[in-house]
Amino acid sequence: MSFLTYWLRVLVLAALCGMPAAFAAVPPDQSVSTRPLPLEQGPAPRLRRPDAARLQELRGQREFQYVEPVNRAEQSAWEAFKARLWQAVAKWLASRSYSHFWRWVFYALFLVVGVFVVLKLMQIDITAMLGRTPRRASLAYDTAAENIHEVDFATRLAEAEAAGNLRLAVRLGYLQLLKTLSDRGLIQWQPDKTNQAYLAELAPNATLREDFREITRQFEFVWYGELALSNALYEQVRGRHRAFQGRVAGSTVRHRAA
């Protein structure tokens, strides 16, 4: 290395080491100056309180009701459906249309249902009150005063079948079964008893009771319901009557209570 190159390196190194001190020696710029803002010269502001009625109105609006969410237990689908249903019903009951129209409709329905229940409890025939009593076909004799122990059922049945009065023939066949049940001591016949009363007198565990229940149902459809009978349907009904009469005739006689 030459002598000149050595001293050049020394000078460069010395220059680099002295640069920070040179920059630090530069004084800060004093040209930027700060000044305070002028004081407010106007009157002090007046605070305006909002209207109390307006505040109450805003509190009642749903958009301004901030409620912290409540962690509820997870509902089943049925419980969620019931909750929505009751909410809808409550909203409807609070509506204007319900208070002006539907409320009176519901009052009228409740009144009608109440009157219907009272009439049923008093065992009043509603159809008779409305003038809709069942039509009765003209018969060869008065059935209201008939005594089953005095009727010649064989002769009467033959007359009804020959005249084509199949409804009357079904009634005579049913009365004949009542006479057979009474003769065997299984029921106690009285003119003012109902068919259901006779049915209740039969033993609950006997097959006769279920058979008689079906025969009674058929008879009431034909007689009170005025069901039109074809010859084939009449033969089915009379066949059931004959089979039941045979079972009753072969049953054990039950002595009547004194």
Side-chain angles (χ1 to χ4, degrees):
M1 178 184 299
S2 64
F3 179 79
L4 181 59
T5 302
Y6 172 77
W7 282 108
L8 285 175
R9 288 182 178 180
V10 172
L11 291 174
V12 170
L13 182 61
L16 292 175
C17 292
M19 288 178 63
F23 285 111
V26 178
D29 189 6
Q30 300 295 330
S31 61
V32 179
S33 62
T34 59
R35 58 180 180 176
L37 295 175
L39 296 177
E40 182 67 35
Q41 301 298 326
R46 295 177 57 187
L47 299 179
R48 184 172 60 88
R49 299 184 61 84
D51 184 58
R54 179 58 177 168
L55 282 176
Q56 188 64 28
E57 180 183 353
L58 293 175
R59 290 192 186 101
Q61 295 182 9
R62 183 177 180 182
E63 292 78 3
F64 297 99
Q65 295 178 2
Y66 304 103
V67 180
E68 293 293 334
V70 180
N71 294 328
R72 298 181 178 178
E74 185 175 353
Q75 291 181 330
S76 63
W78 173 245
E79 291 176 346
F81 171 75
K82 289 194 299 182
R84 294 195 205 96
L85 179 62
W86 282 116
Q87 289 176 0
V89 171
K91 184 177 180 181
W92 178 66
L93 292 177
S95 64
R96 187 180 181 89
S97 61
Y98 170 76
S99 60
H100 285 76
F101 174 73
W102 288 107
R103 175 183 296 179
W104 301 108
V105 173
F106 277 104
Y107 287 165
L109 289 177
F110 289 150
L111 180 62
V112 171
V113 172
V115 172
F116 178 80
V117 172
V118 171
L119 292 178
K120 280 295 184 181
L121 292 176
M122 297 176 64
Q123 297 183 352
I124 298 177
D125 189 0
I126 301 176
T127 57
M129 293 178 59
L130 298 176
R132 298 181 58 185
T133 54
R135 293 182 293 106
R136 302 293 183 182
S138 58
L139 303 178
Y141 58 95
D142 185 11
T143 58
E146 60 195 357
N147 187 339
I148 61 174
H149 298 289
E150 298 176 356
V151 177
D152 184 359
F153 286 105
T155 302
R156 295 294 187 184
L157 275 169
E159 291 175 354
E161 290 175 350
N165 195 342
L166 301 183
R167 290 183 58 247
L168 176 58
V170 170
R171 176 177 173 81
L172 290 170
Y174 186 78
L175 294 176
Q176 188 178 25
L177 295 182
L178 290 179
K179 180 179 183 302
T180 305
L181 290 171
S182 178
D183 292 341
R184 304 300 292 180
L186 299 175
I187 62 171
Q188 293 188 9
W189 178 82
Q190 293 179 2
D192 56 348
K193 271 190 178 180
T194 63
N195 299 332
Q196 298 302 318
Y198 293 128
L199 185 63
E201 293 181 14
L202 296 175
N205 56 350
T207 57
L208 290 177
R209 184 173 186 177
E210 294 304 318
D211 293 341
F212 187 66
R213 185 192 305 276
E214 179 61 23
I215 291 174
T216 300
R217 187 184 68 85
Q218 291 180 352
F219 162 70
E220 290 178 347
F221 268 116
V222 173
W223 187 250
Y224 299 110
E226 301 184 9
L227 178 66
L229 285 174
S230 62
N231 291 330
L233 185 58
Y234 171 74
E235 288 301 326
Q236 292 181 11
V237 174
R238 286 295 295 145
R240 185 181 287 270
H241 287 184
R242 297 187 188 97
F244 183 79
Q245 188 171 5
R247 288 195 295 274
V248 173
S251 62
T252 303
V253 177
R254 189 172 68 185
H255 298 285
R256 296 187 182 93

